[in-house]
Amino acid sequence: MKTSLAFYTIWKKIPRLVPRYSRYLSSPISAQYEAVSQGQEQLPEYFNFASDVLDKWTQIEKDGKKSCHPALWWINGRGGEVRWSFEEMGFHSRKVANILTDRCGLRKGDRILVILSRIPEWWLVMMACIRTGIVAIPATSQLTAKDIEYRLQASGAKCLITTEALGSTVDSIAPRCTSLKTKLLVSSEGKREGWLNFDELLREAPADHTCVKTKMNDPMLVYFTSGTTGVPKMVEHTQGSLGFRPLISQRSWLSTTSSDLVWGTADTSWVVAAIGSFFDPWVLGSCVFIHNLPMLEKTTILRTLSQFPINAFVSLPTFFRMILREDFTSYKFKNLQYCISGGEPLELDVMEQWKNKTGLDIYELYGQTEAGSICSVSKEMKIKPGTMGKAVFPYDVQIVDEEANILPPGKEGEIAIRIKPQRPLGLFTQYINAPEKTAATVRGDFFVTGDRGVMDEDGYFRFIGRADDIIKSSGYRIGPFEVESALLNHPAVAEVAAVNSPDPIRGEVVKVFVVLSMDYTTHNKEKLTVELQEHVKKMTAPYKYPRKVEFVQQLPKSQTGKIQRNKLRDREWGRV
């Protein structure tokens, strides 16, 4: 029974949303699926990214039809370097697949918690999991013992792989995680009691492995949400939602070729690492370039962009802001052609400064853990400052109200993806073990993102803020991002979070928590408060200025680095 393509038919009936993506399906891997992308054929029942993409690029390499760039090019900034072709990626990942099945006893459908940073082993383990049908759970190396314990117990993962840095932390909680049977240690320095040494096993493992047959809807990856609005939920993605989708919509945001090097800086625990440094580039045959980035140093980023032939740079707004604070007139980005920002909205002044200093535009990408890429500004599109582009194929994205009615252009509402009569390829399948939370994402015919926005007449979307972060004051609706963006333009502000705070007259007002830059820590706080308030009035509508300002040493953040406004908001309203 093949998967229905009703959603493609729906998509084609919406002329203003149908992009010109089909004519960009130039990859020899994706060319065979062009009829699928046009709705002329149904989705295949079986698909596996390892055998249907990676291994086919290996054959293209052997036929001499692939550029000389490797599939993976990794550096650590200290002289360490790895360059693997697609053939070598296949060779090593098959060895890892045998480790997972023969030595760890894992089978299709079992889960493994992968706590590895930007090191080559992460890419091998991820590909090996796909080969075996084992479900990988990427996690950040910044997790605490409590975080790891929660993830192991919630997921029922049978195996965990990490480095020596977290070895003792895992050992401290492992006895309470009854599902955990095997611990793999990536370490070339020696052994740890109770752990299997990944490096030793990799040297000894056979390279012959037959890829399992996986269906389009078979689970492939599980992500824990950031926990910004509560306990982290488990987001389940399939072979189709992340692996197959770029085969039919690759040009919707990345727009690279097999001759390009793509550097994505995202932490390996984020879904943007999967789409920006794994699935989407390799569908195109592009080289995935990775810097270990143990420290987020401006000079490291600048040096890397200038020394290596990087064509596309996919990063967070934080990285662009960091770079712009440095005098980089002595650095020349000779090969850089395409800059993409995702993960959070980008301020207009950052885009303008970047354009002035580099001559390059920054193209925005908007997405979620649950949906991957949702909107984007691709190369062939006009950039509209302040917007995050148009809907990404095959999504039908709309702005809806609380009753799921589609709102007209210019009207603020919630960003939503149409899921009826057919759920589109790309969306997660469920929050595992949380059916009520999965159901809560559905409103009428739509999956609601929890983000508020506005769409213009041309189908471009503008981000307002999280639905539960919107501040209502004296009848005005104020998005925290606008206030935060204005304050981040002031040299005194290093970090800031805006929330609603109770007020006897207005119901609630804007309050900001400010982490000061080093040069301003000794300034008069009362005088600085007035200065920041006046600054916001000048930068945006006066009614949005923060009537309350509190200076703090640090802001509460999730494991993925997102500011947890909910904790600040709860404190303001006495809910803690």
Side-chain angles (χ1 to χ4, degrees):
M1 184 70 181
K2 293 190 176 181
T3 309
S4 170
L5 269 197
F7 60 87
Y8 289 114
T9 305
I10 294 170
W11 179 269
K12 292 176 71 178
K13 289 181 179 178
I14 309 174
R16 69 173 180 79
L17 288 177
V18 177
R20 302 178 296 275
Y21 299 152
S22 59
R23 65 190 176 99
Y24 291 103
L25 297 175
S26 58
S27 162
I29 304 297
S30 59
Q32 61 185 306
Y33 299 109
E34 186 169 357
V36 175
S37 71
Q38 295 175 349
Q40 297 169 355
E41 291 184 6
Q42 292 183 323
L43 292 169
E45 183 178 4
Y46 291 91
F47 174 77
N48 185 283
F49 190 86
S51 61
D52 293 326
V53 176
L54 184 83
D55 293 348
K56 288 188 177 180
W57 274 115
T58 296
Q59 187 58 52
I60 293 171
E61 278 182 339
K62 290 180 178 179
D63 294 340
K65 299 177 181 179
K66 169 73 173 68
S67 72
C68 60
H69 287 316
L72 181 72
W73 188 347
W74 174 89
I75 62 171
N76 63 7
R78 302 186 304 275
E81 185 173 17
V82 165
R83 295 194 197 192
W84 286 332
S85 64
F86 281 103
E87 182 178 10
E88 289 168 321
M89 273 297 304
F91 175 82
H92 293 304
S93 64
R94 282 189 286 271
K95 288 168 73 74
V96 178
N98 285 320
I99 293 173
L100 297 180
T101 54
D102 298 345
R103 298 305 301 270
C104 299
L106 299 176
R107 296 293 179 265
K108 181 181 178 182
D110 289 341
R111 296 173 186 155
I112 175 173
L113 186 60
V114 183
I115 314 178
L116 298 174
S117 59
R118 303 176 189 90
I119 58 177
E121 289 81 0
W122 184 82
W123 280 262
L124 292 182
V125 171
M126 294 290 285
M127 192 63 73
C129 287
I130 295 172
R131 288 192 182 281
T132 55
I134 295 166
V135 180
I137 308 172
T140 177
S141 56
Q142 299 181 46
L143 293 178
T144 64
K146 181 180 179 181
D147 298 322
I148 296 172
E149 181 178 355
Y150 171 75
R151 282 157 176 75
L152 286 171
Q153 291 179 346
S155 67
K158 294 183 179 180
C159 182
L160 177 149
I161 181 168
T162 191
T163 58
E164 183 65 41
L166 283 176
S168 59
T169 301
V170 173
D171 284 339
S172 70
I173 55 90
R176 297 191 293 275
C177 302
T178 55
S179 64
L180 183 62
K181 306 301 180 185
T182 310
K183 296 175 290 185
L184 270 174
L185 188 70
V186 177
S187 173
S188 58
E189 299 177 358
K191 299 181 179 180
R192 185 179 186 90
E193 186 177 354
W195 292 70
L196 295 176
N197 187 287
F198 178 86
D199 302 72
E200 291 181 0
L201 294 176
L202 184 60
R203 288 192 292 269
E204 301 167 358
D208 293 329
H209 181 271
T210 301
C211 189
V212 301
K213 289 191 69 175
T214 51
K215 291 188 175 183
M216 191 71 72
N217 293 324
D218 281 349
M220 180 176 64
L221 290 174
V222 169
Y223 284 95
F224 278 84
T225 60
S226 63
T228 304
T229 57
V231 178
K233 302 182 290 291
M234 290 185 285
V235 178
E236 182 183 76
H237 275 287
T238 65
Q239 289 279 344
S241 63
L242 289 180
F244 187 81
R245 184 189 174 191
L247 283 166
I248 56 172
S249 60
Q250 71 215 350
R251 288 290 184 173
S252 59
W253 71 275
L254 191 54
S255 301
T256 57
T257 70
S258 61
S259 299
D260 292 326
L261 269 73
V262 181
W263 182 20
T265 63
D267 187 284
T268 52
S269 64
W270 301 352
V271 73
V272 70
I275 65 175
S277 297
F278 197 95
F279 296 110
D280 293 54
W282 279 342
V283 160
L284 296 159
S286 301
C287 171
V288 171
F289 182 89
I290 299 295
H291 192 300
N292 196 33
L293 286 177
M295 299 292 291
L296 303 183
E297 297 175 339
K298 292 175 284 188
T299 54
T300 299
I301 300 170
L302 289 167
R303 192 181 305 115
T304 304
L305 285 172
S306 62
Q307 291 180 352
F308 293 87
I310 297 163
N311 307 101
F313 182 53
V314 185
S315 196
L316 297 169
T318 302
F319 281 70
F320 290 102
R321 296 189 200 109
M322 285 174 55
I323 296 173
L324 286 169
R325 293 188 177 186
E326 187 82 5
D327 178 12
F328 57 93
T329 54
S330 60
Y331 295 94
K332 304 299 180 185
F333 308 151
K334 298 178 182 178
N335 296 277
L336 190 60
Q337 301 171 347
Y338 193 30
C339 301
I340 303 165
S341 174
E344 60 184 80
L346 187 67
E347 298 86 357
L348 289 178
D349 71 301
V350 175
M351 300 180 73
E352 292 170 357
Q353 290 180 53
W354 186 262
K355 176 75 170 181
N356 291 336
K357 290 190 175 185
T358 67
L360 299 170
D361 290 306
I362 298 177
Y363 297 81
E364 286 217 62
L365 171 69
Y366 162 70
Q368 284 190 331
T369 303
E370 291 87 344
S373 54
I374 300 174
C375 296
S376 75
V377 182
S378 53
K379 279 183 179 178
E380 72 277 7
M381 287 171 55
K382 174 185 176 182
I383 294 178
K384 285 191 174 185
T387 72
M388 53 196 185
K390 296 183 180 182
V392 171
F393 186 83
Y395 290 154
D396 174 5
V397 183
Q398 299 288 341
I399 302 296
V400 302
D401 63 15
E402 294 180 356
E403 282 73 45
N405 298 308
I406 297 175
L407 296 174
K411 187 74 172 177
E412 179 189 327
E414 196 158 350
I415 301 171
I417 300 171
R418 189 185 297 277
I419 58 173
K420 295 178 182 178
Q422 184 72 32
R423 193 176 181 89
L425 186 69
L427 275 180
F428 76 122
T429 56
Q430 62 172 327
Y431 293 126
I432 297 173
N433 299 329
E436 71 290 346
K437 292 185 176 180
T438 303
T441 65
V442 178
R443 186 183 303 165
D445 293 344
F446 295 92
F447 162 79
V448 286
T449 63
D451 291 332
R452 296 190 68 82
V454 174
M455 183 178 69
D456 68 15
E457 294 284 353
D458 297 320
Y460 282 75
F461 289 82
R462 180 167 62 88
F463 180 85
I464 301 294
R466 284 292 298 172
D468 51 9
D469 287 338
I470 294 295
I471 302 163
K472 303 175 183 177
S473 182
S474 299
Y476 291 106
R477 300 173 66 84
I478 304 168
F481 173 72
E482 296 173 283
V483 180
E484 293 165 0
S485 296
L487 284 170
L488 284 169
N489 280 302
H490 194 286
V493 179
E495 289 186 305
V496 62
V499 301
N500 57 350
S501 181
D503 182 85
I505 298 176
R506 296 174 177 83
E508 58 189 55
V509 295
V510 178
K511 176 172 181 178
V512 293
F513 294 83
V514 175
V515 178
L516 290 174
S517 302
M518 291 294 292
D519 295 338
Y520 284 80
T521 53
T522 59
H523 279 54
N524 182 298
K525 299 301 187 296
E526 292 182 1
K527 182 178 179 181
L528 190 55
T529 293
V530 175
E531 184 178 332
L532 293 177
Q533 290 173 328
E534 292 301 314
H535 176 76
V536 174
K537 291 179 183 179
K538 293 177 182 178
M539 293 291 295
T540 186
Y543 70 82
K544 298 177 182 179
Y545 88 93
R547 296 177 182 271
K548 299 180 182 179
V549 178
E550 182 175 337
F551 299 99
V552 296
Q553 294 296 315
Q554 61 184 10
L555 298 173
K557 296 180 181 178
S558 68
Q559 290 297 335
T560 56
K562 292 184 179 180
I563 295 172
Q564 294 175 307
R565 294 194 192 97
N566 62 310
K567 289 188 176 181
L568 296 171
R569 189 166 53 244
D570 287 345
R571 197 183 87 182
E572 278 302 293
W573 292 84
R575 295 193 288 258
V576 292

